[in-house]
Amino acid sequence: MAQSTETTDWVSRFADEVIEESERRAPGKPVVVASGLSPSGPIHLGNLREVMTPHLVADEIRRRGRRVRHLISWDDYDRFRKVPQGIDGVDGSWAEHIGKPLTSVPAPRGSAHPNWSEHFKAAMTEALAGLGVEFDGISQTAQYTSGVYREQILHAIRHRGEIDAILDQYRTKKAPAKKPQKPLDEAELEAAEGSGAAAEDDGSSGTAGYFPYKPYCGNCEKDLTTVTSYVDDTTELSYTCTACGFAETVRLNEFNRGKLVWKVDWPMRWAYEGVVFEPSGVDHSSPGSSFQVGGQIVGIFGGKQPIGPMYAFVGISGMAKMSSSKGGVPTPGDALKIMEPQLLRWLYARRRPNQSFKIAFDQEIQRLYDEWDKLDAKVAEGSALPADVAAHSRAVGTAGGELPRTPRPLPYRTLASVADITAGHEDQALRILGELDPENPITTLDEARPRYDRAEAWINHHVPADQRTVVREEPDAELLKSLDEASRQSLRLLLDGLAENWSLDGLTHLVYGVPKVQAGFPADATPKELPPEIKTAQRTFFALLYHLLVGRDTGPRLPTLLLAVGQDRVRTLLGE
Ligand SMILES: [Zn+2]
């Protein structure tokens, strides 16, 4: 079992608080934490914080040897609000299903899943498994349609006057959306609109007065129904459907095709499950938000509001370059295609929930990986700070054990460069990677996997064509002919040293050393021993090499590039 990292970071502090509160509310019972997700379309990467925050706290509680349940409530009994744009296998004809429960909407064409919500849940479930997130998934369709909440529904209806009075305190104010969980920039508005019951979330006043429950129509399955009468003694409810004109009278003590309105549904579930910790998006701090109102309504169900920190938005950088075939909505699965789960877990673990951060799909991912590798090395040698050790420990595994690691975690930027230059030729990639460290060469690409595959996916899908590296086919004869004597000499020094320095370290030493030797200093002279002009000479020399090798001013780090191009071709391109 992984070590507990008590009181060293935000996760530990929440775990302390949650355990204490759980003991106060339900002594000796497992701690219950919760997340809610709406599978109304692709589940946005920004929503992962809704899961990762309670996951990390639950995992810490588990590390301390306590029992804990992390519930993920799939809000799949919510109505289908609109047809999201840009989903493969979906067209405008899906609009006829608006108003039905998400589980009653057909899956996109070609899907292996039985309905709309299962299709999008499956992708999220797979990503969560990859991230090592242990949870109990609860389908609200299954709960409602099997009558699990019947007593709670009848109770809410008996107390509808009290609920109405609570909601009425906020009705003059602008109604906020349900659980906003994401940064609402232009590209994401589309996705956000599908993710909650924003407009009709507190129940409506039909001819029967305020009513916190809505039946789905027995004929067309839509929720465009109006309750026309209700008899408390018999639980007889009559409704009419404004979509198809259907009307019927049912008995709520045996009827299972409807749900509590969102602002009542959420606190009902806190009480039903005994939730002690459930964070939500920042917009919940506003008066009348469902979290705040829920805190008043939950008492009607005999429960208490969970500890509910507001979490800040998680942004995405580099998505402009992503294919628009999925409506520009990156999912956790998309992130896991370009980074290992350890890195993604670390991004969440190292920032307090109220701090925002960005998940990089652009060049920044290389810097993040460098930072992660540096931390990994510090932890291994025992020199990292306690909070950093804690974040690292939460990133690499869970109470259940370590996540699978890349056996030889070569630098991501090196792997990306190699994948870039070799363009899918695995034999070439292996040759280059084998030459990085000739003393201890890797012998199969599998040693560098899955990190190699992630870097390759990043290069292929997120680096624009004009930033890809294309090694010259032929030497740049014109440029070579125009070189002055000093430039020719620098190339000579490099070529003469290639054979004996053909490794990542050797070539690093060589390319930085050439301008020093040329200026009359030893190759291993330190910056302090050198005049500042050496820096300029190095820059000029590097630019010359990039031009001769790839026809541009810059490119992947030179030692990696040289290894990738190969010794024979380097000699040809440098005019030997
Ligand atoms: Zn109907």
Side-chain angles (χ1 to χ4, degrees):
M1 180 178 283
Q3 281 289 300
S4 159
T5 48
E6 288 183 48
T7 67
T8 49
D9 65 350
W10 68 266
V11 181
S12 294
R13 290 190 292 274
F14 269 124
D16 292 340
E17 199 185 331
V18 169
I19 288 170
E20 197 183 310
E21 187 60 25
S22 182
E23 277 305 301
R24 194 161 30 232
R25 295 185 190 184
K29 293 273 170 57
V31 176
V32 181
V33 306
S35 307
L37 291 173
S38 182
S40 56
I43 296 174
H44 194 288
L45 177 55
N47 285 9
L48 187 55
R49 204 167 210 177
E50 170 77 22
V51 177
M52 288 308 290
T53 307
H55 163 69
L56 292 166
V57 172
D59 185 59
E60 172 61 22
I61 293 170
R62 214 171 271 132
R63 286 175 195 233
R64 296 186 192 178
R66 287 177 174 264
R67 288 182 301 157
V68 55
R69 289 181 75 205
H70 179 184
L71 309 178
I72 293 185
S73 176
W74 299 107
D75 291 332
D76 56 11
Y77 207 44
D78 284 4
R79 76 193 300 259
F80 184 53
R81 296 177 55 76
K82 66 173 290 187
V83 186
Q85 296 292 305
I87 309 284
D88 289 341
V90 175
D91 57 37
S93 70
W94 261 257
E96 70 179 83
H97 303 292
I98 288 172
K100 293 181 187 175
L102 294 168
T103 37
S104 296
V105 176
R109 285 191 193 96
S111 167
H113 302 282
N115 60 56
W116 185 268
S117 58
E118 289 301 320
H119 177 82
F120 295 106
K121 262 160 84 171
M124 186 67 173
T125 301
E126 188 189 339
L128 292 175
L131 281 164
V133 174
E134 192 182 312
F135 66 93
D136 288 349
I138 297 181
S139 157
Q140 292 306 324
T141 298
Q143 297 288 90
Y144 272 107
T145 59
S146 63
V148 165
Y149 298 141
R150 178 169 298 117
E151 285 312 313
Q152 284 70 22
I153 291 168
L154 294 174
H155 186 81
I157 293 171
R158 277 196 296 277
H159 294 268
R160 61 191 181 275
E162 285 164 64
I163 293 170
D164 191 29
I166 292 168
L167 292 169
D168 200 46
Q169 298 163 15
Y170 304 99
R171 286 215 175 94
T172 52
K173 298 176 182 118
K174 194 170 163 281
K178 166 189 170 184
K179 297 201 88 177
Q181 292 159 336
K182 63 196 67 167
L184 296 179
D185 67 29
E186 288 293 329
E188 292 157 351
L189 273 170
E190 197 79 354
E193 280 182 42
S195 75
E200 80 306 353
D201 62 359
D202 73 349
S204 53
S205 298
T207 49
Y210 172 76
F211 211 70
Y213 175 90
K214 202 158 213 193
Y216 279 110
C217 173
N219 179 50
C220 72
E221 284 194 89
K222 296 182 178 179
D223 73 341
L224 300 168
T225 55
T226 305
V227 174
T228 50
S229 72
Y230 182 73
V231 183
D232 281 283
D233 291 346
T234 60
T235 77
E236 256 181 20
L237 176 146
S238 301
Y239 72 86
T240 57
C241 175
T242 58
C244 72
F246 183 76
E248 69 174 330
T249 298
V250 298
R251 277 176 185 270
L252 272 195
N253 60 12
E254 58 184 33
F255 177 81
N256 294 329
R257 203 184 55 245
K259 71 187 289 286
L260 290 170
V261 295
W262 166 247
K263 280 189 176 170
V264 181
D265 180 40
W266 197 19
M268 179 277 286
R269 288 191 260 134
W270 292 340
Y272 182 82
E273 302 286 359
V275 177
V276 179
F277 183 76
E278 181 169 358
S280 49
V282 279
D283 287 12
H284 277 282
S285 50
S286 60
S289 70
S290 36
F291 186 79
Q292 196 207 23
V293 174
Q296 289 178 262
I297 293 176
V298 69
I300 292 171
F301 294 100
K304 277 189 178 171
Q305 191 175 37
I307 295 166
M310 309 297 156
Y311 53 81
F313 292 141
V314 174
I316 315 293
S317 64
M319 275 306 298
K321 293 161 206 139
M322 199 163 156
S323 141
S324 61
S325 69
K326 292 161 77 189
V329 177
T331 63
D334 291 326
L336 290 173
K337 286 193 185 92
I338 62 164
M339 63 185 78
E340 294 160 277
Q342 288 89 344
L343 188 83
L344 192 52
R345 290 178 63 89
W346 179 58
L347 296 178
Y348 287 92
R350 69 178 182 154
R351 297 278 182 250
R352 292 190 309 275
N354 62 0
Q355 293 177 296
S356 59
F357 64 89
K358 282 189 170 180
I359 297 174
F361 281 71
D362 56 9
Q363 301 285 337
E364 171 70 8
I365 191 174
Q366 303 187 86
R367 202 200 53 73
L368 270 177
Y369 249 109
D370 287 345
E371 204 185 332
W372 166 249
D373 285 345
K374 230 175 260 172
L375 172 63
D376 203 46
K378 275 188 178 178
V379 169
E381 69 184 29
S383 66
L385 298 170
D388 294 338
V389 174
H392 180 270
S393 150
R394 304 189 192 295
V396 298
T398 67
E402 288 228 339
L403 293 171
R405 273 183 191 240
T406 297
R408 289 283 295 272
L410 299 169
Y412 186 90
R413 64 171 74 243
T414 303
L415 296 176
S417 296
V418 170
D420 182 16
I421 296 161
T422 57
H425 296 282
E426 297 204 346
D427 50 338
Q428 285 182 36
L430 178 60
R431 173 187 62 76
I432 299 161
L433 294 174
E435 287 171 346
L436 291 177
D437 181 3
E439 308 269 293
N440 181 19
I442 75 162
T443 54
T444 139
L445 267 191
D446 288 345
E447 292 178 60
R449 285 185 160 125
R451 191 183 280 198
Y452 179 74
D453 301 320
R454 302 296 176 268
E456 186 177 39
W458 176 68
I459 278 288
N460 289 336
H461 301 293
H462 298 284
V463 177
D466 64 358
Q467 289 174 29
R468 297 287 303 262
T469 304
V470 182
V471 179
R472 292 186 61 92
E473 291 289 337
E474 299 290 331
D476 187 340
E478 216 162 300
L479 177 55
L480 283 167
K481 218 187 301 171
S482 73
L483 295 179
D484 60 15
E485 190 44 42
S487 300
R488 285 172 201 275
Q489 192 198 19
S490 64
L491 293 180
R492 193 71 257 155
L493 285 167
L494 181 84
L495 289 165
D496 288 348
L498 278 187
E500 59 178 307
N501 290 293
W502 198 254
S503 69
L504 195 61
D505 285 350
L507 289 170
T508 304
H509 189 252
L510 181 64
V511 296
Y512 283 92
V514 164
K516 300 183 202 169
V517 172
Q518 229 183 342
F521 296 92
D524 54 1
T526 61
K528 272 190 199 160
E529 303 164 331
L530 297 163
E533 302 90 77
I534 289 292
K535 281 235 175 285
T536 315
Q538 281 170 341
R539 266 198 297 276
T540 309
F541 177 54
F542 295 170
L544 172 62
L545 292 177
Y546 283 123
H547 271 285
L548 289 170
L549 295 170
V550 297
R552 293 170 44 195
D553 292 344
T554 60
R557 291 187 171 177
L558 274 170
T560 312
L561 179 62
L562 291 167
L563 283 176
V565 175
Q567 226 179 114
D568 291 346
R569 200 157 167 209
V570 167
R571 291 183 187 281
T572 307
L573 294 175
L574 299 189
E576 186 171 77

